[in-house]
Amino acid sequence: MSEYSAHMFLHVRRTRDGVRLVGEHKGERGHRIQNPHRPDVDGVFVEWSWDGASLRLRNDRYGFYPIFYFANDAEIAVSDSIDSLLAAGALRDLDDAGLAAFLRLGHFLGDDTAFRAIRVLPPGVVLEWSIAGLKIAPSLVIARRCEMSRRAAMDAYIDLFRAAIARRGAPARSLVVPLSGGRDSRHIVLELCRQGMAPDECVTAPYRPGAKRKTDVEVAAQLCAALGIRHHVPPARASQKNAEQEKNRRTNYTTLEHGWLMPVVERLCSKAAVSYDGMAGDVLSAGHFLTRERHEWFERRQFRKLFQDMRSALAEPSIQQLLPAETSKRFCLDLALERFETECLPHLEAPNPVGSFSIFNRTRRVACLSAYALQPSVRYVFSPFLDNDLFDFLSSLPAELLVDHNFHTETIQYAYPEYARIPFAVTTPGTGYPATYQQYALEVAAELLFTRTPGLLRKRYVLPRLARCLIDLNYSTAAKWLGTLSIYLMQLERLSAPD
């Protein structure tokens, strides 16, 4: 965990005496993989160089390594830490349109951050900054539709996934893999074992918010026992509030998720030299977020209906009540809808536009953070579903093949029939872990009580509801969204305040 403080940072500024540079003039983060059958570079990475006259940055094809920047005629600063960019002088004005979408969808869109002046590097970008100004040329990957039978698609998936794992391998020890009760991580672990690269350990979060009929821990333990792999379940964080605050800092205030994952992250950072992450697998091959209605709305450009169905954070009445009146006007629905439509348009020609939109917005802005923002000391974190060959194939599959959400399950069971009897975790409605939520509500309420009245949050709405979480077990799960949003908005307000 000690390596977290070693942020990537470069600040180039023109002065009357010439150019002043702070940071490394050349470097890279992440990993690059060369596929001998393709000219493009695989992997998840960012690289930069300053030659005395111009700065040049390049990142991976999908923009999954989170790097942020601000630029004007006189300066550019680039970092994997928004805190560092703010300290370097980035303007602290909030991005109203970006936050309007964030509060409703639960994630930022495109290259937005909470701050108008700070952007995240787009996918497949080449950025150049010099005396001539800023040039930035992103390249979004939109696949062409591929027609084949379901069985042929499964065969191709199996072969391409095996090649993706083989290309990455296990270049150092120890190999530790986070294992949930879902499909993506199971696919990875089964294939690693098939290729003789069994993980030294699999790690599963002690709990996930919400009740489960078959929990991640139970299912992961069963699979590890069948494979003969050591299974570790780290203890939950003593303070969920502290975990949320730390997670927000390390993910650069760009997600409300992953707080529950912090115990797994700590284990990986202390034990792993190599890890694998299943990001994008569910969207590319299990039809995650895809429904027939969403596909039709996308094709018909009925973006308002699509937006309302995809929103997973705050409902409109909650926004009106949670935020002060002036703030809710700034982060209004119309701004969010306009921002959403802009980001939908590039994906209209994709075979699975819902999946394509989700990959380059939600997966890129949320899921990737667990690997590439929260695991700084793990030398290699591989994402095999982003293998260029595999990604091109899976993203070419038509929505009709994926809409039943069974394609990935069938592929895994077909490829590894000896493990088909092991179930997957199943989420069911329920209160989940009331004692955990009650403690969380108490911690957040205490923090809010001793915080000056914030401009981004209405205390008189939040505090009574946090109190109700303490006495009403059926309401206790509300602490998850109330507490998480309250912590986020309190931190954001402190950051946006003038120095």
Side-chain angles (χ1 to χ4, degrees), residues 151-168:
R151 180 51 61 89
M154 289 167 61
D155 287 333
Y157 189 1
I158 291 168
D159 291 343
L160 289 167
F161 189 80
R162 287 175 175 171
I165 294 290
R167 260 190 290 276
R168 283 151 180 81

Side-chain angles (χ1 to χ4, degrees), residues 424-446:
F424 295 98
V426 179
T427 304
T428 58
T431 58
Y433 303 82
T436 301
Y437 289 127
Q438 288 173 319
Q439 180 186 350
Y440 188 28
L442 186 61
E443 289 180 318
V444 176

Side-chain angles (χ1 to χ4, degrees), residues 8 24 26-32 45-48 58 65 379:
M8 178 266 168
E24 299 176 84
K26 184 176 182 179
E28 62 180 280
R29 291 286 192 277
H31 63 273
R32 295 158 53 96
F45 65 91
V46 63
E47 58 185 16
W48 69 95
R58 179 188 177 196
Y65 200 96
R379 177 64 185 89

Side-chain angles (χ1 to χ4, degrees), residues 283-484:
V283 179
L284 286 168
S285 64
H288 198 40
F289 305 119
L290 175 65
T291 66
R292 295 187 188 279
E293 293 80 8
R294 288 179 179 181
H295 182 67
E296 291 174 1
W297 290 330
F298 218 121
E299 289 193 322
R300 296 171 183 170
R301 302 194 179 201
Q302 295 175 314
F303 296 126
R304 180 178 286 268
K305 287 184 178 180
L306 183 65
F307 178 86
Q308 295 293 3
D309 196 58
M310 293 186 78
R311 64 186 299 165
S312 59
L314 288 177
E316 217 55 41
S318 297
I319 290 178
Q320 301 298 325
Q321 295 170 319
L322 180 71
L323 306 180
E326 187 59 36
T327 305
S328 65
K329 288 179 183 177
R330 287 176 57 192
F331 305 154
C332 67
L333 176 61
D334 287 344
L335 268 182
L337 286 168
E338 182 180 353
R339 188 72 193 86
F340 180 77
E341 180 173 350
T342 300
E343 287 303 320
C344 284
L345 293 175
H347 304 278
L348 280 168
E349 301 304 318
N352 175 12
V354 174
S356 182
F357 170 86
S358 298
I359 284 287
F360 287 104
N361 286 279
R362 195 183 190 285
T363 308
R364 172 176 165 253
R365 300 307 310 276
V366 178
C368 75
L369 300 175
S370 63
Y372 299 113
L374 294 178
Q375 298 180 41
S377 61
V378 181
R379 177 64 185 89
Y380 299 99
V381 183
F382 293 128
S383 304
F385 292 100
L386 297 180
D387 179 87
N388 290 355
D389 285 349
L390 179 60
F391 183 94
D392 287 349
F393 169 71
L394 290 176
S395 58
S396 74
L397 297 177
E400 296 81 6
L401 186 69
L402 304 173
V403 74
D404 64 2
H405 308 292
N406 292 323
F407 180 70
H408 199 187
T409 302
E410 293 172 8
T411 300
I412 293 171
Q413 293 175 339
Y414 177 45
Y416 314 96
E418 62 271 39
Y419 302 102
R421 61 182 174 78
I422 299 176
F424 295 98
V426 179
T427 304
T428 58
T431 58
Y433 303 82
T436 301
Y437 289 127
Q438 288 173 319
Q439 180 186 350
Y440 188 28
L442 186 61
E443 289 180 318
V444 176
E447 176 101 355
L448 193 54
L449 278 170
F450 292 101
T451 301
R452 69 179 182 84
T453 303
L456 296 180
L457 192 65
R458 289 178 61 214
K459 276 189 180 183
R460 62 182 181 180
Y461 173 80
V462 177
L463 284 172
R465 285 158 181 80
L466 290 173
R468 182 182 170 187
C469 292
L470 302 176
I471 58 176
D472 185 349
L473 293 182
N474 292 325
Y475 189 75
S476 62
T477 54
K480 181 179 184 297
W481 72 268
L482 275 171
T484 300

